Amino acid sequence: MAHSFEKIISVENLLEAWKEFEIGKKNKKDVQKFSLNLIDNIFSLYNDLSNHTYKHGGYQAFKINDPKTRDIHKAVVRDRLLHHAIYRILYPFFDRVFISGSYSCQIGKGTHKAINKFQKYFYKASQNNTMTCYVLKCDIKKFFANINHKILLNILNQYIPDKNIINLLKNVIKSFSSAKNKKVGLPLGNLTSQLFVNIYMNKFDQFVKHKLKAKYYIRYADDFIFLSKDKKWLKNLIPRISEFLEKELKLELHPGKISIQTFSSGIDFLGYVVFPHHRILRTKTKRRILRKIAKNYSDLQKDIICKETFNQSLQSYLGILKHCEGYKIKKKIKIFISE
């Protein structure tokens, strides 16, 4: 077995986890405070873990607009360091377990790779665009908030024989609940949550590949799609998908986000509207980008932000536009660059 409790909690792993954790966070006050006594803090965490006296702390709650409002729960630095230590050891093992069609929060994958695969699947399913290709698109209702702790731990037990690891993961999982008296929910702010939801949904992915025999399937977190030239087959999948999710994972399809459309009409997926030969940004996304750039430019003029911060923001948005057709919006952005 590639992973062990001793390997996760080792001082060496905690130090490596710290190096990864602090990237981009060195100016944060809580991170600076922890780093002032880094070695003492790491040995203190190691001692608690090795003595099995470690207890995960609480969370600071806040909201972000991404673009819709999301509830984020942030753990203290000590706990987030442990999340990285766990992730470093367990991710490589589970990465081999996941299907190729799973794209969220995995090294070498992501939204752009998922969309590239989506377009490749279109050509296969439509026999090189000689037949109409239909796309079934689904979304899970309140995904993170409804991950069932007991089911998740049962799945983890199937892969991890080391009870010390299971007890540690249980400590992390049960440190958060999305509702009173309900043993459900994972916090959006935890690195471990990204791994846990992929492990949780892997059960569904395996069902899709081995029971539904779906050849053209892609999932990114709680968004997933099926492609086929057979519209009726796609329609018949919906009750089977719904039944499996509710029975096995205690999850519910979002009734307002189930659709079957032709690929050629343009499919709204992962922030882009995808067509057979190209992709464009959602109209809402375009407006949001221009609005944020205009605000950042205004802040720059008022000396609220510096030129470096403004340029970093611009490059971030230009990076998004590299992956789609966006001549008009690029032209508008260049106005800010030239000023």
Side-chain angles (χ1 to χ4, degrees):
M1 186 61 65
H3 46 264
S4 68
F5 180 71
E6 289 72 24
K7 196 169 183 179
I8 290 173
I9 71 164
S10 70
V11 172
E12 292 81 6
N13 188 48
L14 292 173
L15 283 168
E16 288 301 316
W18 174 258
K19 290 177 187 176
E20 294 173 6
F21 168 75
E22 70 171 348
I23 295 172
K25 303 184 187 78
K26 290 182 180 179
N27 292 329
K28 302 288 184 182
K29 288 183 179 179
D30 55 349
V31 176
Q32 290 176 342
K33 185 178 178 181
F34 192 91
S35 66
L36 285 174
N37 297 293
L38 180 61
I39 300 303
D40 287 345
N41 285 330
I42 282 180
F43 271 98
S44 172
L45 176 57
Y46 168 76
N47 288 331
D48 283 352
L49 291 165
S50 60
N51 293 326
H52 306 286
T53 56
Y54 168 81
K55 181 67 179 173
H56 197 290
Y59 293 86
Q60 175 193 351
F62 58 95
K63 295 181 184 293
I64 62 167
N65 294 308
D66 183 33
K68 63 182 180 182
T69 302
R70 295 180 187 275
D71 292 313
I72 303 295
H73 293 84
K74 180 181 172 184
V76 298
V77 171
R78 189 176 198 254
D79 295 329
R80 284 186 283 153
L81 170 58
L82 176 64
H83 300 164
H84 277 258
I86 291 169
Y87 189 89
R88 291 189 79 255
I89 304 302
L90 294 189
Y91 171 78
F93 169 78
F94 281 102
D95 187 47
R96 299 192 295 271
V97 172
F98 301 144
I99 68 166
S100 61
S102 169
Y103 277 85
S104 63
C105 303
Q106 292 178 60
I107 296 168
K109 291 192 173 182
T111 55
H112 304 306
K113 293 279 181 71
I115 293 170
N116 289 341
K117 178 63 75 174
F118 187 20
Q119 288 179 308
K120 285 180 183 176
Y121 275 170
F122 159 74
Y123 284 103
K124 289 183 177 180
S126 66
Q127 296 178 1
N128 284 326
N129 206 8
T130 60
M131 303 187 75
T132 302
C133 175
Y134 296 94
V135 179
L136 166 62
K137 192 160 79 85
C138 302
D139 186 298
I140 294 172
K141 191 175 181 181
K142 295 182 180 178
F143 180 48
F144 273 80
N146 285 309
I147 300 295
N148 185 283
H149 293 175
K150 185 178 179 181
I151 293 172
L152 174 57
L153 285 164
N154 284 341
I155 295 171
L156 288 166
N157 267 295
Q158 293 169 23
Y159 292 100
I160 302 173
D162 190 325
K163 293 304 173 187
N164 285 325
I165 295 179
I166 291 296
N167 287 334
L168 179 59
L169 299 183
K170 188 176 182 180
N171 196 332
V172 175
I173 291 165
K174 292 192 172 294
S175 68
F176 178 85
S177 178
S178 59
K180 289 181 180 179
N181 302 320
K182 288 183 71 177
K183 297 175 182 179
V184 298
L186 292 175
L188 276 168
N190 284 8
L191 177 63
T192 46
S193 296
Q194 297 175 7
L195 178 61
F196 290 152
V197 295
N198 272 334
I199 294 168
Y200 199 81
M201 287 300 289
N202 180 61
K203 190 168 183 177
F204 176 68
D205 295 339
Q206 299 297 336
F207 166 74
V208 166
K209 300 304 288 185
H210 299 296
K211 298 296 182 182
L212 299 183
K213 306 290 185 184
K215 286 178 71 178
Y216 309 119
Y217 162 79
I218 294 170
R219 181 182 63 80
Y220 190 96
D222 59 329
D223 291 319
F224 52 92
I225 52 169
F226 296 82
L227 296 86
S228 176
K229 60 187 178 183
D230 188 341
K231 187 177 181 180
K232 186 178 179 182
W233 181 76
L234 290 176
K235 193 174 181 180
N236 289 338
L237 286 183
I238 298 170
R240 296 182 69 187
I241 290 168
S242 181
E243 182 185 13
F244 181 89
L245 287 171
E246 289 182 19
K247 184 180 176 183
E248 300 294 331
L249 299 175
K250 299 288 188 284
L251 295 173
E252 181 185 349
L253 285 177
H254 196 303
K257 294 185 179 179
I258 302 170
S259 65
I260 297 178
Q261 298 171 260
T262 60
F263 195 105
S264 58
S265 65
I267 306 298
D268 189 335
F269 186 54
L270 304 181
Y272 297 89
V273 180
V274 187
F275 295 89
H277 306 292
H278 69 288
R279 66 195 73 159
I280 60 174
L281 278 179
R282 289 174 182 157
T283 302
K284 284 183 180 178
T285 307
K286 289 179 191 174
R287 288 174 184 162
R288 190 173 76 252
I289 285 175
L290 288 172
R291 198 163 54 241
K292 284 187 175 180
I293 289 174
K295 184 185 182 303
N296 286 346
Y297 182 72
S298 175
D299 289 345
L300 177 67
Q301 299 302 102
K302 296 173 184 175
D303 288 329
I304 296 172
I305 61 171
C306 64
K307 186 74 175 177
E308 185 184 355
T309 302
F310 177 72
N311 286 337
Q312 285 174 350
S313 176
L314 269 181
Q315 292 309 314
S316 174
Y317 295 128
L318 289 171
I320 293 170
L321 294 168
K322 280 181 184 177
H323 300 276
C324 66
E325 300 290 328
Y327 174 75
K328 288 182 180 179
I329 188 170
K330 286 175 187 175
K331 192 174 179 181
K332 289 178 181 178
I333 288 173
K334 283 178 182 177
I335 295 170
F336 293 103
I337 296 173
S338 60
E339 289 186 16

